[in-house]
Amino acid sequence: MIDLYTWTTPNGRKVSILLEELGVPYEAHAVDITAGAQFDPKFLEISPNNKIPAIRDRDTGVVMMESGSILIYLAEKYGKFMPQEDRLEILEWLMWQMAGFGPILGQAHHFLKYNAGKSPYAEARYSEEARRLYGVLDRRLQGRDYIVGEYSIADMACWPWASRYEWQQIDLADYPNLRAWYRRIAARPAVQRGYHVPAKVNEIPQG
Ligand SMILES: N[C@@H](CCC(=O)N[C@@H](CS)C(=O)NCC(=O)O)C(=O)O
């Protein structure tokens, strides 16, 4: 049994989507980051960086923060979504998401959606970089159904960030390979379940 500490954000959804895909038992605990629950001293014991997601594995005693490492841990534990022959490339694209696609799009949300008009420099910077990153992923997906080989944790890491394309002022029509990939993944029943953990706050954008 896995305890998942999460909220309705891309980093949280990565893990709930993987758990749904794995079909393993888990219990989701809502950590309302809009109300400051991430600073609760009890939560800090499992997530010292004050951020969701985090897990506790009741079988092994493992406690872990950071969505990328959680995806790797669970994929290795259950032997799924990171086949040995594709391991290095999957890690490469997972790190690309963790270091670029996620953080840059997170800043785009701040400046393009929540604080529009406050910093034209930041708006231009993050919107340009967001477009560049969407272009990188679109080129990668040319002639491929998934980022590396079969559907893997690299896709599960990137997809929830792409699902906020409207917040990032991205038109998926400009990235046809990426849009086909986005819709392919959005159609998966496990993704549809995992997206609405720990609560349903909106429909999945259809791309
Ligand atoms: N690198 C971390 C980032 C986690 C992260 O930024 N989580 C956000 C939600 S998506 C959060 O908890 N924010 C609360 C805060 O910044 O106070 C990961 O991938 O797990």
Side-chain angles (χ1 to χ4, degrees):
M1 171 66 88
I2 307 285
D3 288 302
L4 167 63
Y5 300 85
T6 192
W7 192 241
T8 52
T9 69
N11 287 321
R13 286 172 177 147
K14 291 177 198 174
V15 181
S16 46
I17 286 172
L18 174 57
L19 286 165
E20 290 289 344
E21 293 283 6
L22 290 167
V24 297
Y26 73 100
E27 193 175 328
H29 305 272
V31 179
D32 184 350
I33 61 172
T34 66
Q38 69 274 37
F39 300 108
D40 183 323
K42 275 218 158 106
F43 180 61
L44 288 199
E45 284 170 20
I46 56 167
S47 186
N49 194 35
N50 313 100
K51 292 191 190 278
I52 64 94
I55 59 162
R56 182 192 303 275
D57 183 338
R58 292 189 207 169
D59 306 330
T60 61
V62 166
V63 171
M64 192 177 272
M65 64 171 180
E66 284 296 328
S67 60
S69 59
I70 296 170
L71 294 183
I72 295 168
Y73 171 73
L74 293 173
E76 284 183 343
K77 175 174 179 182
Y78 295 103
K80 285 191 178 159
F81 302 116
M82 190 173 57
Q84 189 56 33
E85 65 274 19
D86 290 329
R87 186 168 187 277
L88 287 181
E89 257 185 288
I90 290 171
L91 291 177
E92 180 184 32
W93 283 93
L94 178 60
M95 294 307 138
W96 176 82
Q97 183 284 310
M98 291 297 294
F101 201 57
I104 291 294
L105 298 182
Q107 296 307 311
H109 298 167
H110 273 281
F111 290 104
L112 299 176
K113 178 176 167 67
Y114 290 117
N115 294 285
K118 284 203 182 144
S119 170
Y121 173 82
E123 283 181 45
R125 156 86 185 143
Y126 291 115
S127 128
E128 243 169 63
E129 187 63 358
R131 281 167 217 285
R132 190 188 68 77
L133 290 163
Y134 269 81
V136 170
L137 189 51
D138 188 58
R139 285 194 299 281
R140 172 66 187 186
L141 287 164
Q142 171 81 48
R144 297 172 194 268
D145 284 349
Y146 299 106
I147 298 173
V148 183
E150 295 300 312
Y151 179 57
S152 76
I153 56 170
D155 301 290
M156 293 179 224
C158 291
W159 185 88
W161 282 99
S163 77
R164 289 213 162 146
Y165 60 89
E166 287 158 321
W167 293 25
Q168 301 144 14
Q169 298 175 7
I170 290 286
D171 182 352
L172 290 189
D174 295 337
Y175 308 94
N177 306 311
L178 196 155
R179 181 160 70 170
W181 163 88
Y182 177 82
R183 290 179 175 175
R184 189 172 299 123
I185 293 175
R188 296 179 70 89
V191 171
Q192 291 163 11
R193 292 192 300 273
Y195 185 90
H196 298 303
V197 174
K200 181 168 180 175
V201 287
N202 58 268
E203 298 297 338
I204 299 178
Q206 288 306 298

